[in-house]
Amino acid sequence: MSYDKLTDEQQEQRAALARKLDLLCRTIMAPDGAPVTYPKIRDYLAERYIKLSRSRWEYMRAGNKYLVDDKLLLSAIAQYFEVDPAYLIGPESELTETIDAALRFTLAERTSPVKLHAARTLGQDVSPEHLRRLTALLEEIEAERNR
């Protein structure tokens, strides 16, 4: 099926998968302690005889083009991140909400020091109005990433 002929439900599924993958990639580190990258995912999957092209990975992450519903692929990606495969495969459920909440909490923990550092560092040299605007901008960026 052509990606421009997806139903509204399929487009929503595609966007939800992209959001979940983005959240996983931004909150969970690779086994070596570094950020997750395409080559790491590709190599992990290749060890399990599952092929993932860069273009497929990119459109899965971007939420554009085709709907990826390959259960074997999505299960293997979930295993890489050490989350229940139902998080990527299944429809929205209490499980996915729980994982989402935990990942968002982790992300908030990671961005909080940035806000605090900016407030402490810039607080002396910047007007209260500019500091409020900077904090609002950081919160807006964080909210945008959580969508």
Side-chain angles (χ1 to χ4, degrees), residues 29-59:
M29 294 298 203
D32 63 3
V36 174
T37 61
Y38 164 72
K40 291 176 186 177
I41 292 277
R42 179 201 60 214
D43 294 348
Y44 177 86
L45 295 174
E47 291 172 4
R48 286 148 185 79
Y49 305 102
I50 300 170
K51 186 176 188 297
L52 178 64
S53 68
R54 180 177 292 279
S55 60
R56 189 174 203 195
W57 175 246
E58 292 304 325
Y59 68 69

Side-chain angles (χ1 to χ4, degrees), residues 12-143:
E12 288 173 22
Q13 289 173 324
R14 181 180 66 186
L17 177 62
R19 179 184 51 77
K20 291 173 184 178
L21 287 173
D22 182 60
L23 197 53
L24 286 169
C25 288
R26 287 189 300 114
T27 56
I28 297 179
M29 294 298 203
D32 63 3
V36 174
T37 61
Y38 164 72
K40 291 176 186 177
I41 292 277
R42 179 201 60 214
D43 294 348
Y44 177 86
L45 295 174
E47 291 172 4
R48 286 148 185 79
Y49 305 102
I50 300 170
K51 186 176 188 297
L52 178 64
S53 68
R54 180 177 292 279
S55 60
R56 189 174 203 195
W57 175 246
E58 292 304 325
Y59 68 69
M60 287 172 63
R61 295 261 337 257
N64 57 18
K65 295 202 178 187
Y66 308 101
L67 170 64
V68 176
D69 57 2
D70 179 341
K71 291 183 179 178
L72 181 65
L73 172 64
L74 296 174
S75 292
I77 292 171
Q79 289 170 359
Y80 176 85
F81 287 108
E82 298 179 347
V83 297
D84 190 311
Y87 179 65
L88 295 178
I89 296 171
E92 294 298 319
S93 67
E94 193 172 311
L95 168 69
T96 62
E97 290 174 15
T98 301
I99 294 172
D100 256 8
L103 293 173
R104 288 179 194 279
F105 178 78
T106 301
L107 186 60
E109 274 187 320
R110 290 186 181 165
T111 57
S112 182
V114 173
K115 291 180 202 172
L116 185 59
H117 177 74
R120 287 183 178 162
T121 304
L122 299 175
Q124 302 158 359
D125 301 327
V126 176
S127 71
E129 175 58 27
H130 284 112
L131 191 55
R132 276 192 293 277
R133 289 172 56 194
L134 176 61
T135 301
L137 177 62
L138 288 170
E139 288 171 357
E140 181 182 326
I141 291 168
E142 184 177 337

